[in-house]
Amino acid sequence: MAKSLKNLTSILILLFLAPIIIATVQTPLFMAQPEQVEEKKKEDIPVVYAAQLEKKQPVVQVQEIIEPKKAFVYFTHSHEAYQPILAAQGEKVAIYHPISNITTFQDQINAQFAFHQLQATFLENYNKKEMDDYHTIRPLVQQAIGQNEYDIVLDIHRDSAKANVTTLRSGEQSYAKFIFVVGGEHPNYRWNEQLAQNLSNQLNKLVPGISRGILLKEGKGVDGVYNQDLSKNLLVVELGGIDNNEQEINRSIAILAKALSNMLNEQLPS
């Protein structure tokens, strides 16, 4: 009887202590699981975030050009030619030609300008069979730019300098260099000079060294005005020299179109 009572007492004590023992043993196990999950999550977050950053591209806000910028283009000395082009055509090597001359690049200029959202208008109503000069072409230019507004006016020439001055080798390509002539004998020439400098800078950003800079001309033996008094946006551009070939000139026209677009739309990334 005494032994049965002792066993009963032991069972009651064990039943009383069982929940405490179970709680003591199991609670740390259950508590450990949330901590491990939380720790794992913390380790994963930087990895996922870093992967997202690597894939994310920088956002560039580009303002759409609603209307193309307008350029008026003409060739005062329309007979200026390039010797390699004449030679390739079997022509007598010369620096002037009534047909195969700088005006033959009009289509290339028009196409490259259009590609960069520049609308080019060319002076057409003059006699290309005759050699023009600044005085004879002046009223035609004055009339054209008086009837329409243009963002830029370009009088494009060919320089008389040789290849060592007018050719740039950049990487695997060669280019015809530019130089800008500014006449210093009219009151507002600083406008033309600053515009020429801006375009020269844009050219050299695209292809370092492709622009030879600004040539300010005044005094005896030069025109000194070059019709730039007609517009502060009028630039006299020398495109290459007598030794530049067709490929070099075409490449430079493409760079000129891009540089003009960048300059006239400075809010856009270049």
Side-chain angles (χ1 to χ4, degrees), residues 94-108:
I95 59 174
Y96 296 101
H97 197 276
I99 299 173
S100 184
N101 50 51
I102 193 169
T103 64
T104 61
F105 289 94
Q106 179 170 314
D107 288 344
Q108 176 72 359

Side-chain angles (χ1 to χ4, degrees), residues 74 76 133-135 137-138 141 145 155 186 223 225-231 234 236:
Y74 65 100
T76 293
D133 58 33
Y134 293 105
H135 299 291
I137 207 169
R138 180 182 177 89
V141 175
I145 64 178
D155 180 8
H186 66 95
D223 183 281
V225 178
Y226 306 106
N227 292 326
Q228 290 173 325
D229 60 324
L230 297 177
S231 171
L234 198 161
V236 176

Side-chain angles (χ1 to χ4, degrees), residues 2-270:
K3 184 177 181 181
S4 298
L5 183 59
K6 182 179 181 181
N7 290 338
L8 180 60
T9 303
S10 299
I11 291 170
L12 291 174
I13 293 173
L14 181 60
L15 291 174
F16 176 78
L17 294 176
I20 299 174
I21 294 171
I22 292 171
T24 304
V25 173
Q26 290 185 345
T27 300
L29 294 177
F30 289 121
M31 291 298 292
Q33 290 178 0
E35 291 176 356
Q36 291 172 357
V37 171
E38 184 67 25
E39 183 178 355
K40 186 176 180 181
K41 287 182 179 179
K42 289 180 180 178
E43 290 174 355
D44 287 346
I45 288 173
V47 176
V48 175
Y49 182 61
Q52 290 174 342
L53 288 179
E54 287 175 4
K55 292 179 182 179
K56 188 176 181 180
Q57 298 297 324
V59 177
V60 179
Q61 292 182 348
V62 178
Q63 181 177 346
E64 182 181 356
I65 303 175
I66 299 175
E67 292 185 3
K69 298 297 183 180
K70 296 181 179 180
F72 181 71
V73 182
Y74 65 100
F75 310 90
T76 293
H77 296 155
S78 58
H79 287 198
E80 291 178 330
Y82 300 89
Q83 291 179 342
I85 297 176
L86 292 176
Q89 296 172 352
E91 298 277 356
K92 179 181 177 181
V93 176
I95 59 174
Y96 296 101
H97 197 276
I99 299 173
S100 184
N101 50 51
I102 193 169
T103 64
T104 61
F105 289 94
Q106 179 170 314
D107 288 344
Q108 176 72 359
I109 293 170
N110 189 49
Q112 290 294 338
F113 279 31
F115 181 78
H116 292 286
Q117 294 186 288
L118 299 171
Q119 180 181 320
T121 300
F122 294 85
L123 181 63
E124 298 288 358
N125 59 337
Y126 65 101
N127 187 359
K128 293 182 180 179
K129 293 182 180 179
E130 297 180 3
M131 188 69 169
D132 290 300
D133 58 33
Y134 293 105
H135 299 291
T136 58
I137 207 169
R138 180 182 177 89
L140 302 177
V141 175
Q142 190 171 19
Q143 180 182 14
I145 64 178
Q147 292 175 344
N148 297 282
E149 286 190 12
Y150 295 99
D151 299 287
I152 191 76
V153 181
L154 301 175
D155 180 8
I156 301 181
H157 295 250
R158 182 267 298 140
D159 199 350
S160 59
K162 301 286 287 182
N164 63 320
V165 175
T166 66
T167 305
L168 171 70
R169 186 76 184 178
S170 180
E172 297 181 356
Q173 306 290 352
S174 57
Y175 299 85
K177 288 186 179 182
F178 295 94
I179 191 169
F180 298 90
V181 178
V182 175
E185 296 182 9
H186 66 95
N188 299 316
Y189 79 93
R190 290 292 186 187
W191 287 98
N192 307 89
E193 184 179 34
Q194 184 59 59
L195 184 64
Q197 188 62 62
N198 291 346
L199 183 52
S200 178
N201 292 342
Q202 290 289 350
L203 286 165
N204 284 331
K205 284 181 183 178
L206 296 173
V207 182
I210 197 171
S211 174
R212 295 159 54 199
I214 315 300
L215 180 61
L216 184 65
K217 300 187 77 171
E218 55 187 336
K220 283 188 177 183
V222 300
D223 183 281
V225 178
Y226 306 106
N227 292 326
Q228 290 173 325
D229 60 324
L230 297 177
S231 171
K232 64 181 182 180
N233 295 332
L234 198 161
L235 297 180
V236 176
V237 185
E238 302 275 5
L239 171 56
I242 56 176
D243 292 328
N244 287 110
N245 60 43
E246 185 175 2
Q247 292 74 25
E248 291 167 344
I249 297 162
N250 283 336
R251 291 187 196 110
S252 293
I253 289 172
I255 300 301
L256 175 63
K258 175 63 175 172
L260 277 168
S261 179
N262 288 349
M263 182 183 74
L264 297 174
N265 300 282
E266 288 186 342
Q267 73 272 20
L268 297 177
S270 62

